[in-house]
Amino acid sequence: METLGYLGQGFGVATTPLNLLTALCGTLIGTVVGLLPGLGPINGVALLIPIAFALGLPPETSLILLAAVYLGCEYGGRISSILLNIPGEASAVMTAMDGHPLARQGKGGIALSISAAGSFMGGLIATIGVTIFAPLLAKWAVAFGPAEYFVMMVFAITCLAGMAGNKPMKTAVASLIGLLLACVGIDSNSGVYRFTFGSLGLADGIQFVVLVLGLFSISEILVLLERTYYGQSALKTSGRMLFNVKEAMFVKWTVLRSGVVGFFMGILPGAGATMASAVAYMSEKRMASKDNRFGDGDLRGLAAPETANSAAACGSMVPMLTLGVPGSGTTAVMLGALTLYNITPGPLLFQTDPQLVWGLIASLFIANVMLVVMNIPLIRVFTKILAVPYWALVPGIAIVTAIGVYGVHATTFDLFLMIVIGVVGYILRKFDFPLSAVLLGFILGGIMEQNLRRALSISNGDLSILWSSPITWGGWALVVLMIVLPMYRGWRQRQVARPANP
C-alpha cells in the first residue's frame, strides 16, 4: 500500500501540464531519432541533455524528457527495420529478421502494429516490475557501505565484458579507457594534476557532455559521411494496418515471456536492450515447433525482440535509481545528466527525492501509452522521414552538437576537445570497440575511486575491508563468475568447432 501511495504522488508529478508536454515531445523526438538509421537512443538522449539544462528545466522534468526519448527510440527503431531492413539502432537488429520478410509479403501494416503493441506490453510489464522491485532493492541497498559500492562497480564493469558476446577483450579494453579518462583533472584529495599535460582546460577533468557528444555524435557524423546514402523509399504498408484477434492470441504468450525476460535482462548492468532482444528471440525460436517460420516472417519472431527491448529499456532504470549503476549505455548518459543537477543516484534517492523517482516511474506508464497511441496512426508520417538524405541530416546533428557543448561552459576548448574525442571514437568504432563501454567506464570510474578512498580511510588503509562483509563476498563471487563465464563459453565454442577425430 505504501508503494501505491508513492506511485500516486508520482502520477501527481508526471501529470502536470509541463511534464505531460515534455513527455509528449520526448516520445515524438525519440521515435524520429530511433527510426533514422545509425542514431539510436544514446545520441538522442545525449543531444537533449545540454538543451534541457540550458532551458532550466527542473530535474524531474529533464529526467522525464530523457526517459521518454529513450522509450521512443526503442519504438522508432522498428520502423526502419521492418520497412527498410535497416535497423535504426542495435536493439532493432533482431526485429528485422522477421519484420522485413512480413513487409515484403505485403503485411507491413500488421508487422508495425503488432510490434507497437508488443513494445507497449513490454514497457508495461517492465514498468510494473520497476514499481515493485525498485523500492525493495533500494531498501536492501541501504546496507551498502563504500566497500560494497566499490565491489558493485567492479561487478558492473566485469558484466560488460562477460556479456559482450564474441568480443569480451575489446569491451574490457574500452572500459579501461573510460576508467582512465575519469582520472583526468585535479585530484580532489591531494590537489595533484593528473593527465592534464599542462592544459588548464583539462584541470576540471573531461566534462560529461563533451565526452558523450564527442564519442557518439561526432563519431556518428564521421561514419555517416562515409556513406553515399541519399534517403531510401520504404516498402509501402499496404493491406490491413492493424492485427486481428487471431494474430494477437498467436503471440500472447510470446509477448508475456519476452516482457519478463527483457525486464530482468535490463536490470543486469551492461546487458541492455540489444542483448535482451537477442535472448528473447532465440528463446522463442527454441520453444517453437519444428514447422515454425522464424526468419521468413513469423509473428512470434517479430513480437519477441520488440517486447524484450522495450522491457529492457524500462528495466535498466532499476539499477540506475537504486544502486547508481547504469543498466545500459543510455542510462549511463542519464546518470551523467543527474550529476549536472548535483543529484546522486542510489538507495537514499528514494528517501531524499521521492518526487523525482516516483515521478519518473509514473511517467514511464504515461510515455508507453503516448507511444502506442502515437505510433499506430502516424506510421505513414514516420515512414516519410526515412527519405531524409544524409547531406541534410549530418549538418543538423553537427549544429545541435556544437550548440549543446558550447552552451554548458561557453569555451572553445570544449569544442576542440569534443572533436578530438569524436575522432578517437570513430577510430575505436572502426576497430569494433564498443563506445558504450567507454562511457560506462567513465561514469563508474569516478564513483569507484570515491568509494575506494572512503573505504580505505575507514579502515586506515587496510585492504581487507573490501572483502569483510557477506555482501562483498557475494559481489566478488559474481565478479569471478563474470570473468570465468566468457572463458568457459569460448572454450565450449572451440570444442564444438573442432572437427571430430576420424
Side-chain angles (χ1 to χ4, degrees), residues 114 243-254 300:
I114 210 161
F243 56 89
N244 56 32
V245 175
K246 181 180 177 182
E247 289 158 347
M249 297 304 290
F250 182 63
V251 300
K252 64 177 181 179
W253 296 116
T254 294
R300 293 168 297 182

Side-chain angles (χ1 to χ4, degrees), residues 182-207:
C183 295
V184 174
I186 299 176
D187 186 328
S188 57
N189 283 12
S190 64
V192 173
Y193 285 77
R194 303 186 301 189
F195 307 112
T196 59
F197 306 102
S199 171
L200 288 177
L202 291 173
D204 288 335
I206 297 173
Q207 301 302 315

Side-chain angles (χ1 to χ4, degrees), residues 203-429:
D204 288 335
I206 297 173
Q207 301 302 315
F208 170 77
V209 172
V210 175
L211 178 72
V212 72
L213 290 181
L215 271 181
F216 293 97
S217 293
I218 298 299
S219 69
E220 188 62 42
I221 287 171
L222 295 174
V223 170
L224 292 177
L225 288 173
E226 284 186 321
R227 304 174 184 169
T228 56
Y229 175 87
Y230 295 98
Q232 289 184 244
S233 297
L235 291 172
K236 299 297 181 183
T237 52
S238 58
R240 283 189 291 124
M241 290 301 296
L242 280 174
F243 56 89
N244 56 32
V245 175
K246 181 180 177 182
E247 289 158 347
M249 297 304 290
F250 182 63
V251 300
K252 64 177 181 179
W253 296 116
T254 294
V255 167
L256 289 173
R257 285 191 296 265
S258 300
V260 174
V261 168
F263 171 68
F264 284 105
M265 290 295 292
I267 290 176
L268 294 174
T274 304
M275 183 165 292
S277 62
V279 169
Y281 182 89
M282 297 309 296
S283 298
E284 289 301 316
K285 188 175 181 179
R286 281 196 297 267
M287 293 176 67
S289 58
K290 291 183 180 179
D291 59 346
N292 71 77
R293 301 185 65 242
F294 275 72
D296 294 316
D298 195 303
L299 288 176
R300 293 168 297 182
L302 173 63
E306 275 303 303
T307 305
N309 67 32
S310 287
C314 293
S316 62
M317 303 287 176
V318 174
M320 181 190 79
L321 293 173
T322 58
L323 301 173
V325 176
S328 65
T330 310
T331 49
V333 179
M334 295 173 67
L335 195 65
L338 287 176
T339 62
L340 293 176
Y341 289 95
N342 295 318
I343 295 172
T344 304
L348 295 179
L349 191 62
F350 280 77
Q351 300 172 18
T352 59
D353 205 344
Q355 179 175 312
L356 183 145
V357 174
W358 289 103
L360 172 63
I361 293 173
S363 76
L364 297 178
F365 284 103
I366 295 170
N368 270 297
V369 173
M370 286 180 173
L371 280 163
V372 76
V373 170
M374 180 193 304
N375 269 260
I376 292 177
L378 295 181
I379 285 300
R380 288 191 173 94
V381 176
F382 288 134
T383 54
K384 293 185 184 300
I385 299 171
L386 292 170
V388 176
Y390 278 173
W391 61 260
L393 185 62
V394 168
I397 297 173
I399 291 168
V400 173
T401 300
I403 292 172
V405 167
Y406 190 78
V408 176
H409 289 106
T411 64
T412 54
F413 178 84
D414 284 350
L415 288 173
F416 287 114
L417 180 60
M418 176 187 69
I419 293 170
V420 171
I421 291 172
V423 172
V424 173
Y426 170 75
I427 294 169
L428 289 174
R429 286 178 69 162

